[in-house]
Amino acid sequence: MPGSAVPARDTGPVPPRRKGPRGVVLAILVVVVLEAAAMITFAGAVLVELVSGRSTNVGVGVFVVVFFLGLAWLLVGCVRALWRGRRRGRSPVAGWQIFQGIIGVSLLTGGSPAAVLGGLVLLLLAVGVLLGLMTRPVLEHTTG
């Protein structure tokens, strides 16, 4: 029937194109990419130990490699989501920062100067990214 056609909806004005991340958003993305790269490097070092036969426990080594590569893959996916302005990347990044902060605190009591320094770096990065995720620019970028 000619008169029963459904009229087209007026969707209103076209929203402006979202700008790329800037400032604190970009800083968070860079830190999380560096964390993922560090995990890949660590997994590679464990893999070299496994292949060369220097590892005493193959099962633990394989688990560590798979775990860190999977975690790095997750973080890279979160960075892509945050870059595109999607909020689904915030929660896994925040969860990893909490976990990383716990690791940092435990390393602070490690005793050796290298462990204490590593723990301090992990703790500072975790706190910085976690607080950065709660800033207005990040929230506006990922909810707009």
Side-chain angles (χ1 to χ4, degrees):
M1 306 192 148
S4 65
V6 178
R9 284 192 200 172
D10 181 20
T11 58
V14 176
R17 185 177 170 107
R18 183 179 298 227
K19 295 178 183 176
R22 293 203 166 89
V24 70
V25 179
L26 196 56
I28 288 171
L29 296 178
V30 167
V31 169
V32 174
V33 165
L34 289 175
E35 290 172 352
M39 285 182 229
I40 292 168
T41 303
F42 180 69
V46 173
L47 189 61
V48 166
E49 282 190 6
L50 282 171
V51 171
S52 68
R54 292 183 298 188
S55 178
T56 58
N57 196 337
V58 175
V60 172
V62 170
F63 172 78
V64 167
V65 169
V66 171
F67 178 76
F68 276 101
L69 289 178
L71 193 54
W73 175 75
L74 173 72
L75 288 178
V76 169
C78 291
V79 165
R80 288 183 59 190
L82 291 172
W83 177 269
R84 293 177 178 160
R86 298 197 175 109
R87 63 180 176 206
R88 67 176 174 232
R90 288 191 319 229
S91 294
V93 170
W96 168 246
Q97 299 310 314
I98 291 169
F99 188 62
Q100 180 175 299
I102 292 169
I103 294 169
V105 167
S106 70
L107 285 174
L108 286 175
T109 61
S112 74
V116 172
L117 181 62
L120 186 61
V121 169
L122 288 178
L123 187 59
L124 290 175
L125 285 174
V127 168
V129 171
L130 199 55
L131 291 177
L133 284 172
M134 295 184 249
T135 61
R136 182 176 301 269
V138 173
L139 295 176
E140 286 176 354
H141 179 72
T142 57
T143 58

